[in-house]
């Protein structure tokens, strides 16, 4: 069986032959050849569509698994943090900065952390202005439509989506 590229090429050549008045081939021969190529093309397209559907389902399953694993990761990280906090409280209550077992050595490091605060309560002297530029794609599309599809630095490109 020919590949999709070859079938497309064969179909285009056949269409050119049908449109060319100088080519002397019987209509019956052209019709038989056309039906043969079209049958192979139909089979090829069906197989491509089956593969596309399988890959889309596979991608959806991977996405679901990724979501599940992300939740599992967050749970494991939260559990580890809870256990670390419990150990920290224990060592602080015992007044120990170091603790050694047969397998592990624990060291406590004192750090300064800020307490929770509301952004509304922060005085202006501790704030700064941040400017963020975003691209307005709807304005670009409107300008492209008004200027024949080309602005020099961006242009419309022809696209086709299969569903």
């Amino acid at each position: 069986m020919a590949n999709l590229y070859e079938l497309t090429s064969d179909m285009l050549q056949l269409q050119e032959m049908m449109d060319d008045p100088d080519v002397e081939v019987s209509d019956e021969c052209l019709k038989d050849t056309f039906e043969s190529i079209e049958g192979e093309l139909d089979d090829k397209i069906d197989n491509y569509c089956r593969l596309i559907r399988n890959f889309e389902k596979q991608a959806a399953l991977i996405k679901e698994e990724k979501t599940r694993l992300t939740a599992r990761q967050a749970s494991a990280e939260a559990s580890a943090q809870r256990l670390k906090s419990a150990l920290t409280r224990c060592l602080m209550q015992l007044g120990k900065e170091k603790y050694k077992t047969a397998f592990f050595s624990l060291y406590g490091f004192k750090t300064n952390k800020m307490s929770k605060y509301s952004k509304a309560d922060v005085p202006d002297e501790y704030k700064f202005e941040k400017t963020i530029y975003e691209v307005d794609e709807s304005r670009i599309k409107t300008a492209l439509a008004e200027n024949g599809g080309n602005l020099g630095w961006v242009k419309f490109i022809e696209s086709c989506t299969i569903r």
Side-chain angles (χ1 to χ4, degrees):
M1 182 179 266
N3 63 35
L4 186 62
Y5 176 79
E6 292 169 344
L7 290 171
T8 304
S9 176
D10 291 347
M11 189 66 88
L12 289 173
Q13 286 178 350
L14 187 61
Q15 286 176 349
E16 286 177 14
M17 289 173 62
M18 291 171 73
D19 293 340
D20 189 353
D22 296 336
V23 175
E24 294 185 21
V25 179
S26 71
D27 288 341
E28 186 65 30
C29 179
L30 285 175
K31 182 180 176 190
D32 290 344
T33 306
F34 182 78
E35 288 174 357
S36 170
I37 294 173
E38 190 175 44
E40 278 190 66
L41 187 62
D42 286 351
D43 291 343
K44 188 61 74 172
I45 288 173
D46 284 342
N47 290 332
Y48 266 60
C49 290
R50 286 184 183 101
L51 283 171
I52 289 167
R53 184 173 292 150
N54 285 340
F55 282 125
E56 288 173 342
K57 286 180 180 179
Q58 186 179 9
L61 288 173
I62 290 169
K63 184 177 182 180
E64 286 177 23
E65 185 69 5
K66 190 166 64 170
T67 302
R68 186 187 70 79
L69 288 174
T70 300
R72 212 170 143 195
Q73 175 191 0
S75 174
E77 288 172 347
S79 295
Q81 189 56 48
R82 276 193 310 275
L83 293 173
K84 282 182 185 180
S85 295
L87 272 177
T88 301
R89 280 192 307 275
C90 174
L91 291 179
M92 287 177 65
Q93 288 173 352
L94 295 175
K96 297 188 180 238
E97 290 184 19
K98 297 179 187 177
Y99 197 89
K100 196 170 208 154
T101 69
F103 298 106
F104 297 98
S105 296
L106 303 175
Y107 299 96
F109 298 99
K110 292 185 179 180
T111 59
N112 292 325
K113 283 183 152 181
M114 290 195 299
S115 63
K116 300 278 183 188
Y117 61 90
S118 169
K119 289 184 180 182
D121 294 337
V122 176
D124 288 343
E125 65 187 87
Y126 296 104
K127 295 179 182 178
F128 66 94
E129 187 175 329
K130 189 175 184 179
T131 304
I132 299 174
Y133 292 98
E134 297 286 335
V135 175
D136 188 350
E137 291 193 5
S138 64
R139 284 184 62 198
I140 295 172
K141 286 179 182 177
T142 302
L144 281 170
E146 292 170 354
N147 292 297
N150 191 345
L151 293 176
W153 50 274
V154 65
K155 63 183 177 182
F156 278 139
I157 54 173
E158 191 171 302
S159 170
C160 179
T161 302
I162 295 177
R163 294 178 194 222

